[in-house]
């Protein structure tokens, strides 16, 4: 959704609204002169629904008929209505109506739920200031300019500019967990002129105008200014993100606030982030469309051939107008061309069922229902965080089984994003923390020199800088104290600082502030412009003059403070590349060396520096910052210039090193992906030494791997030459594995002119690590691989907002429910709690989804070829008179009732190999790569098989009845409807048993739908043919089925034809399994050993300890089948039994999910 779209939805905007800014009059106190034209803004209704009562039918029909198959069947239905066709319009209309209705009900129900949620939000009670009093109204009635009151723990109903709060300084604390997932408390501010207006009467008297930018989706950007009129004088104050309270955020630790609504309804930032993701299509869906086109060509060929043969046959006079079928005068005089077209369309209608209309609705149901298995899988549930796997789109389930490249973020994805302070460098000396003390390198805790008293001068200044340069908030254990007692400094009067907890948007900041507190310099709170620290028991108050926020371009943040002695100092911290070039004093080279050493250990580094300002320098700084912050145009650019001017001539204080622990089982997961033939690329913003160290520790790079580097390239020529050198080295050392490290700057050069060369080097490397990457660069790398000639399937996985671009760019995007917010999860296709779950998601779920839907698609085309080819063959025996072989009811119900459920159940529950085996043998994933089960060869096999079976159905029945139709004992003859019913009966049984032959994993549900479908066909046919239906024009099928089943010859023919059709399939499977077994087939024997039947029984009574009740019988059968040696008394504790119960094997976990049912659920039991 974009801003322009929102504006278009709001009708009647006046020209002033089309400008770059909007003017909001607080409390809607408009100017009294007659020249003012009020701007019109959107109301505060949130609309997430797609349809209304009035547009549901036309809009939904339009969307559904954009599908080729639906549109095609609509045309066929209209043709049947307009011309005389051999089949009733019901045969096309009813299946089409069924598919359209099922889809419409599903989409209508989903939209009704959205309407219901919208009504709850829009009808929520809110309080606004109107006509001098506080009035309760509904959320949807809030207008831009209204003053809204929000109480503690309530969510903000609109985007508000904060006017005042119950605190004297006009600040409030909020949490934006529902917007970006950050649980830390954030402080927002009001301007001094409005913060004093804490009563309704004061607010009613307030004269103020807010000018701000038009709505945009960026949650962290807001540019505006407020003009307050006091005593006839206009006071202008800048407004930024710290003054804006976003809809959806929640008020915390503040009794109440008042704010003016600036963005309402679908123009609020939260609504603008209801982003329509680009539609991703799976490889299976693309194959399906290709197959549909091929079958459309077959259909057209059959229709044209039949039409030509009809006229060739009618060239003979006796067939053109036989004595029993004389033409009318109108038919003799009709245009030959129109007659040819009419006949062609009639044949098209006759054969149209070769296009499987119900394929779409079955695939949709399979994807929708199948997606629940991921959420239900307890192996993908993370107990510590109480988070289960989440499916945001079910359209890509099978794509999980086709992944060739995985692009992963490092921090929070491979690591825990839990920071622990480890070391620091101060004035060229390395220190480490031991038991709450900061000790120089080489000194122990027992050493007398390790006492706190020795931390003086530079060390203390460094600790003060770390404890003051941040945006950390503090929450106390007693949030509901009386107003006076909620003072953050109340611990001075006896409230221990041990009861406070730090909240930070960055885990690094929290770790550093907690570390300085342990060492003795504790940040104890901030109130308004005052920050307080406790330095070894001594309280110090600093006045916060300016905060220079962190941004991805500068890669640093700063604070300007007034010290207790009255001086002005700047503290800054950031990446070493963002600080060291601007440092002019301090131990620069030693610190650089220490930073590199920390990075080699895999630690995350930050460099800390300071700058002291004279009064004159600070006046200049203050003037520049104020001018930049109040600018309405190009504010970001002006702020960047001001920041660059301020953050220079720095005095280097030191560097910090924090450890980000690797997540559990990351190394095993990466190794499993590698064995599955999936290449893993790590894309991170960290410096290359840190990234390489983490890559080595997590197994992404091996110690024996030859590490190639493409770093710090400064020109195109230099980059090209280095790439050529790397390509030569790879060719020379082709025996060993190679890993490539590339940084962001070099990558930009490589992608500009030398894409092919860069791709050649990357594809020959087993692992690639890209460091110092900007978010858009991550997306570019994914796009580069995605659009390469091989068109590999890509997967991107990350946990932060900086990973969103690559998650959206990849074929499959996976969000990690980490500590960097929920933006990655919201924009992903799937979400998991830990990186280790990726192995099961791909190797098990991906494998199952792919084989299921691949078979579903092929089988649908197969059964429709079986269905319609006898119709085509029948025309050769009826002079192409367009006589239908099957009754209209059978034509209609074939795909809807008789053959629909077995394939649907197969596509939901089939397991070629046991899940344990798939996880323990990742190489099985290679068998299904490159869409191998939907290759043209496989498609051709299923199509030819369909034609062969159709020929056997037709000619098998013809051999039985062709010469002599008196198959009844009383000499009664069979007619054409009996012949057609015989073909149809054989066909329903054969195609149902065919999917039964394809099924490896049998459950009671498979038995129910397989045998139930055949039984239902027989019962329905007996019922349908046993009654004279008054509403039918003809009673062609009356007693036909009963008569057919009364013939022993017909029963014999049915059995023989079914056996002839399916026996080659059985022989082929047996021969291939024994002569050329695939690795998947070999693995099936692992999950189904000879004594499998007893294993199932064993699992009923065999526990982890003790003798099982059936173990003797099991041992005896195992000896008979050769599975165990005679006399083995511990057969019941064999490896296969261990495999069923073990929790400790590599890649295994306790198999408790519906998907990973134990073998007892199988029919092998």
């Amino acid at each position: 959704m974009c801003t322009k779209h929102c504006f278009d939805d709001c009708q009647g905007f006046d020209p002033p609204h089309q400008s770059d800014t909007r003017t909001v009059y607080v409390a809607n106190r408009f100017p009294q002169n007659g020249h003012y034209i009020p701007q019109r803004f959107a109301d505060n209704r949130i609309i997430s629904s797609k349809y209304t009562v009035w547009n549901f039918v036309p809009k939904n029909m339009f969307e559904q008929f954009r599908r080729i198959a639906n549109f095609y069947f609509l045309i066929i239905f209209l043709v049947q209505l307009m011309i005389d066709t051999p089949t009733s319009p019901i045969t096309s209309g009813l299946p089409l109506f069924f598919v359209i209705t099922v889809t419409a009900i599903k989409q209508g129900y989903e939209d009704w739920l959205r309407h219901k949620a919208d009504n709850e939000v829009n009808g929520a009670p809110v309080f606004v200031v109107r006509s001098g009093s506080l009035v309760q109204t509904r959320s949807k009635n809030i207008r831009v300019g209204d003053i809204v009151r929000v109480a503690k723990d309530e969510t903000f109903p609109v985007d508000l500019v904060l006017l005042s709060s119950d605190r004297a300084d006009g600040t409030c604390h909020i949490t934006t967990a529902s917007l970006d997932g950050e649980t830390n408390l954030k402080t927002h501010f009001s301007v001094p002129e409005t913060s004093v207006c804490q009563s309704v009467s004061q607010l009613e008297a307030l004269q103020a105008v807010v000018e701000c930018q038009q709505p945009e989706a960026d949650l962290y950007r807001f540019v505006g200014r407020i003009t307050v009129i006091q005593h006839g004088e206009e006071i202008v104050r800048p407004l930024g993100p710290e003054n804006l309270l976003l809809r959806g955020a929640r008020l915390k630790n503040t009794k109440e606030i008042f704010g003016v609504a600036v963005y309402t309804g679908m123009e609020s930032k939260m609504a603008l982030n209801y982003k329509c993701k680009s539609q991703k299509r799976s490889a299976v869906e693309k194959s399906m469309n290709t197959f549909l086109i091929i079958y459309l060509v077959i259909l057209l060929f059959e229709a044209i051939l039949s039409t030509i043969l009809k006229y060739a046959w009618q060239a003979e006079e006796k067939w053109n107008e036989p004595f029993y079928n004389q033409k009318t005068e109108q038919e003799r005089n009709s245009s030959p061309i129109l007659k040819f077209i009419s006949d062609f369309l009639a044949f098209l209608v006759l054969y149209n069922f070769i296009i499987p209309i119900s394929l779409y609705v079955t695939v949709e149901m399979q994807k929708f229902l199948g997606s629940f298995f991921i959420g239900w899988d307890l192996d993908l549930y993370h107990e510590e965080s109480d988070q289960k796997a989440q499916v945001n789109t079910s359209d890509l389930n099978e794509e999980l089984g086709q992944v060739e490249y995985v692009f992963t973020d490092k921090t929070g994805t491979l690591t825990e994003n839990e920071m622990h302070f480890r070391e620091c460098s101060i004035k060229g000396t390395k220190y480490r923390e031991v038991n709450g003390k900061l000790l120089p390198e080489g000194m122990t805790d027992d050493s007398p020199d390790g006492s706190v008293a020795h931390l003086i001068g530079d060390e203390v200044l460094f600790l003060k800088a770390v404890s003051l340069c941040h945006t950390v908030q503090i929450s106390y254990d007693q949030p509901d104290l009386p107003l006076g007692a909620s003072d953050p400094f109340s611990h001075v009067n006896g409230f221990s600082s041990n009861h406070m907890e730090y909240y930070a948007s960055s885990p690094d900041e929290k770790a550093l502030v907690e570390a300085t507190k342990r060492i003795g310099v504790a940040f104890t709170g901030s109130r308004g412009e005052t920050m307080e620290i406790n330095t070894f028991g001594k309280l110090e108050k600093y006045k916060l003059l300016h905060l220079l926020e962190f941004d991805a371009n500068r890669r640093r943040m700063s604070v300007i403070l007034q010290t207790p002695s009255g001086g002005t100092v700047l503290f800054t911290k950031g990446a070493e590349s963002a600080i060291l070039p601007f440092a002019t004093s301090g131990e620069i080279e030693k610190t650089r060396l220490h930073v590199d050493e920390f990075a080699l250990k895999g630690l995350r580094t930050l460099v800390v520096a300071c700058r002291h300002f004279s009064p004159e320098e600070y006046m200049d700084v203050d003037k520049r910052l104020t001018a930049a912050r109040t600018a309405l145009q190009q504010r970001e650019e002006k702020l960047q210039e001001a920041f660059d001017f301020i953050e220079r001539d720095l005095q280097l204080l030191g560097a910090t090193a924090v450890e980000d622990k690797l997540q559990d089982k990351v190394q095993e997961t990466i190794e499993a992906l590698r064995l599955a033939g999936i290449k893993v690329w790590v894309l991170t913003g960290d410096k290359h030494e840190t990234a390489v160290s983490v890559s080595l520790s997590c197994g992404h790079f091996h110690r024996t791997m030859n590490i190639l580097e493409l770093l710090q390239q400064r020109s195109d020529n230099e980059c090209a030459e280095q790439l050529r050198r790397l390509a030569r080295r790879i060719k020379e050392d082709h025996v060993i594995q190679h890993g490539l490290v590339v940084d962001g700057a070099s990558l930009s050069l490589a992608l500009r002119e030398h894409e092919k060369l860069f791709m050649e080097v990357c594809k020959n490397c087993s692992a690639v690590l890209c460091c110092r990457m900007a978010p858009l660069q991550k997306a570019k790398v994914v796009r580069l691989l995605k659009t390469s000639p091989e068109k590999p399937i890509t997967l991107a996985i990350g946990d932060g907002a900086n990973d969103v671009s690559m998650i959206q760019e990849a074929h499959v995007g996976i969000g990690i429910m980490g500590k960097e917010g929920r933006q990655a999860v919201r924009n992903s296709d799937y979400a998991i709690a830990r990186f280790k779950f990726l192995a099961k998601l791909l190797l098990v779920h991906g494998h199952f989804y792919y084989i299921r839907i691949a078979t579903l698609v092929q089988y649908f085309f197969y059964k429709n070829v079986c269905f319609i080819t006898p119709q085509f063959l029948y025309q050769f025996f009826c002079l192409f008179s367009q006589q239908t072989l099957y009754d209209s009811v059978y034509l209609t119900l074939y795909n809807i009732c008789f053959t629909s459920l077995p394939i649907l159940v197969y596509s939901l529950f089939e397991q070629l190999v046991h899940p344990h085996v798939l996880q323990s043998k990742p190489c099985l994933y290679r068998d299904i790569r490159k869409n191998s089960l939907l290759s043209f060869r496989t498609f051709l096999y299923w199509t030819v098989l369909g034609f062969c079976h159709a020929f056997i159905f037709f000619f098998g029945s013809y051999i039985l009845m062709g010469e002599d139709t008196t198959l009844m004992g009383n000499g009664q003859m069979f007619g054409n409807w009996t012949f057609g019913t015989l073909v149809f009966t054989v066909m329903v049984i054969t195609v149902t048993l065919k999917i039964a032959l394809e099924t490896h994993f049998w459950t009671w549900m498979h038995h129910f739908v397989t045998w139930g479908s055949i039984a239902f066909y027989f019962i329905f046919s007996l019922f349908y043919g046993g009654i004279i239906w008054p509403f039918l024009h003809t009673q062609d099928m009356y007693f036909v089925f009963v008569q057919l089943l009364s013939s022993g010859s017909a029963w014999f023919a049915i059995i023989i034809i079914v056996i002839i059709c399916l026996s080659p399939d059985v022989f082929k499977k047996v021969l291939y399994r024994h002569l050329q077994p695939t690795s998947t087939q070999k693995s099936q024997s692992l999950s189904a050993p000879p004594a499998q039947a007893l294993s199932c029984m064993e699992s009923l009574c065999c526990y982890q300890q003790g003798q099982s009740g059936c173990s003797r019988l099991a041992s005896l059968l195992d000896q008979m089948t050769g599975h165990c040696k005679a006399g083995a008394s511990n057969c019941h504790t064999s490896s296969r039994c261990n495999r069923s119960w073990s929790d400790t094997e590599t890649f295994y976990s306790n198999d408790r999910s519906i998907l990973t049912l134990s073998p007892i659920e199988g029919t092998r039991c």
Side-chain angles (χ1 to χ4, degrees), residues 45 98 102 237 273 401 521 536 561 738 809 939 974 999 1121:
R45 284 180 302 161
F98 173 76
V102 167
R237 296 284 185 183
N273 275 278
V521 181
F536 305 123
L561 304 166
H738 299 275
E809 183 62 47
F939 165 72
F974 283 174
T999 303
T1121 56

Side-chain angles (χ1 to χ4, degrees), residues 129-235:
V129 176
R130 284 182 184 161
S131 305
S133 61
L134 205 57
V135 178
Q136 183 174 354
T137 183
R138 293 183 182 275
S139 173
K140 63 182 179 182
N141 298 327
I142 298 175
R143 300 170 299 177
V144 170
D146 279 345
I147 297 176
V148 182
R149 172 191 173 270
V150 180
K152 181 184 174 184
D153 290 328
E154 290 181 352
T155 56
F156 301 113
V158 289
D159 288 353
L160 301 164
V161 167
L162 180 60
L163 295 177
S164 65
S165 73
D166 63 305
R167 297 168 183 260
D169 57 3
T171 61
C172 71
H173 296 298
I174 70 165
T175 176
T176 57
S178 61
L179 296 174
D180 56 15
E182 293 180 5
T183 55
N184 60 299
L185 295 178
K186 298 176 181 176
T187 305
H188 284 246
F189 306 89
S190 58
V191 299
E193 286 72 24
T194 63
S195 63
V196 296
C197 302
Q198 295 183 331
S199 66
V200 173
S201 56
Q202 288 174 307
L203 288 165
E204 183 65 22
L206 178 66
Q207 289 189 323
V209 180
V210 174
E211 294 173 88
C212 59
Q213 63 188 158
Q214 295 290 12
E216 65 169 35
D218 190 341
L219 295 175
Y220 309 106
R221 185 173 183 272
F222 177 68
V223 179
R225 65 185 175 202
I226 183 168
T227 305
V228 183
I229 302 172
Q230 287 185 347
H231 312 297
E233 182 184 350
E234 291 187 356
I235 302 169

Side-chain angles (χ1 to χ4, degrees), residues 796-975:
I797 179 168
D799 72 319
N802 59 331
D803 303 314
V804 168
S805 53
M806 76 167 178
I807 284 172
Q808 290 182 330
E809 183 62 47
H811 291 95
V812 182
I814 296 184
I816 296 282
M817 302 170 192
K819 298 172 182 171
E820 286 194 26
R822 283 289 184 274
Q823 285 194 352
V825 171
R826 284 207 315 268
N827 288 279
S828 64
D829 304 306
Y830 303 89
I832 53 180
R834 287 294 181 269
F835 182 79
K836 66 178 179 181
F837 297 149
L838 184 64
K840 184 165 189 186
L841 191 65
L842 299 187
L843 304 182
V844 178
H845 289 277
H847 195 284
F848 285 159
Y849 284 133
Y850 177 71
I851 60 170
R852 289 166 182 168
I853 202 164
T855 307
L856 183 150
V857 171
Q858 308 270 30
Y859 176 78
F860 249 95
F861 285 110
Y862 153 79
K863 73 186 179 80
N864 278 50
V865 167
C866 289
F867 181 41
I868 222 66
T869 304
Q871 186 90 279
F872 173 68
L873 296 174
Y874 186 59
Q875 298 307 304
F876 287 87
F877 295 86
C878 67
L879 290 181
F880 296 92
S881 61
Q882 296 151 11
Q883 168 66 36
T884 177
L885 178 62
Y886 313 119
D887 181 70
S888 293
V889 172
Y890 285 162
L891 278 170
T892 305
L893 298 183
Y894 176 74
N895 277 319
I896 294 177
C897 295
F898 299 145
T899 60
S900 58
L901 282 180
I903 183 59
L904 179 61
V905 171
Y906 171 94
S907 66
L908 288 174
F909 298 109
E910 172 63 352
Q911 295 182 15
L912 264 180
V913 185
H914 195 276
H916 278 163
V917 179
L918 286 175
Q919 272 193 278
S920 61
K921 298 191 71 173
C923 56
L924 295 178
Y925 192 83
R926 296 170 183 257
D927 286 357
I928 60 170
R929 287 176 64 203
K930 297 286 184 186
N931 206 11
S932 58
L933 298 187
L934 278 175
S935 63
F936 187 74
R937 181 180 173 183
T938 318
F939 165 72
L940 201 61
Y941 165 75
W942 278 90
T943 303
V944 170
L945 186 69
F947 278 114
C948 290
H949 284 185
F951 273 79
I952 295 170
F953 300 155
F954 184 83
F955 288 107
S957 303
Y958 179 75
I959 290 167
L960 177 71
M961 298 177 59
E963 299 299 325
D964 185 8
T965 59
T966 56
L967 299 179
M968 300 290 289
N970 59 5
Q972 191 176 353
M973 299 177 70
F974 283 174

